[in-house]
Amino acid sequence: MRLPAEPFRIKVVEPLRRVSRAERERLILEAGLNIFAVPADSIYVDLLTDSGTSAMSDRQWAGLMLGDESYAGSRNFFHFQDTIREIFGYRHVIPTHQGRMAENLLFSTVVKPGDVVPNNIHFDTTRANVEHQNAEAVDLVIDEGLDPATLHDFKGNLDPRKLGALLKERGRDKVPLVMITVTNNSGGGQPVSIANVRAVREVCDRHGVPLFFDACRFAENCWFIKQREPGWADRSIPEIARELFSYGDGCTMSAKKDGLVNIGGFLALNNQEWAERITNLLILVEGFSTYGGLAGRDLEAISIGLREVLDEDYLAFRTGQVQHLGELLEDAGVPIVKPVGGHAVYLDVRRFMPHMPQSQYPGQALVVALYRDYGIRAVEVGSLMFGHRDPESGEMVYPKLELVRLAVPRRVYTTEHMRYVAESVIELHRSPERIRGLRITHEAPTLRHYTARLEVLDAAGARTALQRA
Ligand code: P70
């Protein structure tokens, strides 16, 4: 099936600068082979992230002009609160400047040292915020969710049996909450089914543990439920969202994804005592409770974005565009995570570059080549992002999945851009052996992928200049 054409037309354009390969080569070397450190205007198609990169609609831009910048009680806060209560159904609504602040406020309020927080798969900031409390972040996705080639409609599902076993072993006192990420970003943007959420809720109830969602990409998840889960085809996206969230006690959200805005987030929950403690902390570190680190105008843009994202024509196009990119790659034999997720196509690096061990950061090496040769920015979700030293044995531990993510910003690129990306990746895939392994020369103690510096290895593991790669 062909994807539906764009359900919008273009009113404002942002010119893209074409940069020579030689200049990109210089820039990536200067950046220490870290794609986060290259200037964004040297990039032709930027698929680093779908976070904060959406194009806002004319209505959202108009909403900015209706910003009420009162320190307390801004009318935009009440619109924001009403929208979130209506869509998610949770009573207390706490604005934050982005998702990780919502995570930080929640975890620093309810997670103690030695606790365990289960999730289908924690994303990088979620894991880091749990670990920052000296607690353990445990990933309990179903086994299918860890195999890039296995087809499953809801590969993001959290395994209720694994959760039951963990709760039995550690006891409810050590597990302050369970989280489910919809869609499951680190596992390929894969959705979670209503049936799974119900089953997880039952396990949580048996042990008296609250359930929270990481709701960044909830609308895309609800769209997949409508398409794939028996019984939901005739229900509206808002109805599906209400059902999904009715099984939880609250959620964190980065509105930079399905809020269709460039900045913002929130925490929504029913527990009054938690909400009070979190609000006190919010006022200390982020801002007053009716703006939480945002301007009034930002709250307005989020309220409008959260409603726009529920539109079925939009969701059909959105997921269709990502699917189309996946199909172009798959038809040419490029190994990708299947089925294609909601916001991104993930290249399966183990099969793309079987010649390179994880210790040489093959995903990052592929990211560097995509930028240098084609001006495309992708992001590594593998050994650079998640590799770490085991605190006891001192051995390096590498993640099961070694992926490169091509995240598609919302309403930003055309289908022709997707074709350019597909042709570039396909060309690179024809001779993967020209890509050389890397080693780290500098790393931070947490979230190292954002600031690490790397260099190219030659076959013997010696240092060599990138020009020789
Ligand atoms: C992404 C960004 C952010 C995120 C998320 C989930 C499931 C929370 C957050 C934090 C981060 C990123 C990664 C690589 C390159 C650039 C950006 N995900 N939960 O692209 O939200 O950023 O607002 O603090 O995916 O997946 P926030």
Side-chain angles (χ1 to χ4, degrees), residues 36 48-51 98-100 103 123-126 181 185 214 216-217 254 256-257 379 385 405 450:
F36 285 94
L48 177 69
T49 177
D50 63 322
S51 179
Q98 61 182 80
R100 71 196 69 181
E103 293 158 15
F123 198 61
D124 63 349
T125 57
T126 329
T181 306
N185 187 9
D214 179 334
C216 291
R217 299 177 179 86
S254 167
K256 296 170 74 173
K257 285 85 174 172
V379 73
M385 188 180 277
R405 185 183 75 171
Y450 289 108

Side-chain angles (χ1 to χ4, degrees), residues 75 153 177-178 219 236 265-266 314 323 348 393 438:
R75 69 170 163 262
D153 279 347
L177 77 171
V178 172
S236 72
F266 62 86
Y314 160 76
Q323 171 78 25
D348 181 2
S393 68
L438 310 177

Side-chain angles (χ1 to χ4, degrees), residues 200-240:
V200 169
R201 178 75 215 198
E202 271 170 34
V203 179
C204 289
D205 281 346
R206 241 184 286 139
H207 295 265
V209 176
L211 175 63
F212 271 67
F213 290 94
D214 179 334
C216 291
R217 299 177 179 86
F218 77 99
E220 290 164 9
N221 198 98
C222 291
W223 174 255
F224 285 123
I225 290 171
K226 187 176 168 90
Q227 302 306 304
R228 299 178 185 173
E229 188 162 0
W232 292 96
D234 298 327
R235 306 287 285 276
S236 72
I237 300 298
E239 281 175 325
I240 297 171

Side-chain angles (χ1 to χ4, degrees), residues 69-366:
E69 305 307 339
S70 306
Y71 188 97
S74 156
R75 69 170 163 262
N76 310 117
F77 172 73
F78 297 107
H79 298 165
F80 179 82
Q81 181 174 252
D82 287 350
T83 304
I84 291 166
R85 282 185 177 159
E86 197 181 306
I87 297 174
F88 298 85
Y90 304 127
R91 174 141 189 75
H92 304 286
V93 175
I94 298 168
T96 60
H97 77 278
Q98 61 182 80
R100 71 196 69 181
M101 181 51 90
E103 293 158 15
N104 187 292
L105 291 169
L106 176 65
F107 298 151
S108 48
T109 302
V110 309
V111 177
K112 300 182 303 306
D115 280 355
V116 187
V117 179
N119 202 323
N120 37 4
I121 304 187
H122 289 266
F123 198 61
D124 63 349
T125 57
T126 329
R127 167 171 290 278
N129 270 302
V130 170
E131 291 172 353
H132 191 60
Q133 304 301 324
N134 293 314
E136 196 186 336
V138 181
D139 297 337
L140 301 180
V141 72
I142 54 170
D143 291 343
E144 292 89 332
L146 292 172
D147 177 3
T150 305
L151 285 173
H152 188 291
D153 279 347
F154 293 100
K155 249 178 140 171
N157 284 352
L158 191 155
D159 192 327
R161 272 173 312 158
K162 292 183 192 170
L163 178 64
L166 179 109
L167 283 163
K168 219 159 146 193
E169 187 196 319
R170 306 288 184 111
R172 62 174 281 195
D173 291 346
K174 287 278 173 226
V175 186
L177 77 171
V178 172
M179 291 205 69
I180 302 183
T181 306
V182 292
T183 57
N184 185 29
N185 187 9
S186 311
Q190 302 293 331
V192 175
S193 70
I194 295 273
N196 181 251
V197 171
R198 246 184 234 144
V200 169
R201 178 75 215 198
E202 271 170 34
V203 179
C204 289
D205 281 346
R206 241 184 286 139
H207 295 265
V209 176
L211 175 63
F212 271 67
F213 290 94
D214 179 334
C216 291
R217 299 177 179 86
F218 77 99
E220 290 164 9
N221 198 98
C222 291
W223 174 255
F224 285 123
I225 290 171
K226 187 176 168 90
Q227 302 306 304
R228 299 178 185 173
E229 188 162 0
W232 292 96
D234 298 327
R235 306 287 285 276
S236 72
I237 300 298
E239 281 175 325
I240 297 171
R242 273 309 276 265
E243 176 79 9
L244 180 76
F245 292 112
S246 73
Y247 296 103
D249 299 284
C251 68
T252 58
M253 174 151 178
S254 167
K256 296 170 74 173
K257 285 85 174 172
D258 272 350
L260 297 176
V261 289
N262 307 119
I263 194 72
F266 62 86
L267 187 64
L269 70 170
N270 288 331
N271 184 318
Q272 169 130 6
E273 198 238 84
W274 283 15
E276 274 173 27
R277 284 165 58 202
I278 290 167
T279 302
N280 293 338
L281 193 56
L282 179 86
I283 295 170
L284 181 72
V285 300
E286 180 81 331
F288 186 65
S289 55
T290 60
Y291 70 86
L294 294 167
R297 56 178 172 268
D298 298 324
L299 297 170
E300 193 62 29
I302 297 170
S303 315
I304 299 170
L306 284 172
R307 291 182 194 278
E308 285 182 358
V309 81
L310 305 173
D311 181 81
E312 294 192 9
D313 286 343
Y314 160 76
L315 285 167
F317 167 72
R318 161 70 179 156
T319 53
Q321 189 183 40
V322 176
Q323 171 78 25
H324 179 62
L325 173 60
E327 280 167 9
L328 292 174
L329 293 172
E330 208 192 343
D331 290 349
V334 176
I336 60 169
V337 174
K338 294 202 299 179
V340 173
H343 66 296
V345 175
Y346 292 68
L347 305 177
D348 181 2
V349 179
R350 286 175 194 276
R351 284 187 291 146
F352 199 110
M353 296 200 294
H355 63 289
M356 197 182 293
Q358 274 185 301
S359 58
Q360 294 184 14
Y361 306 103
Q364 184 65 11
L366 182 53

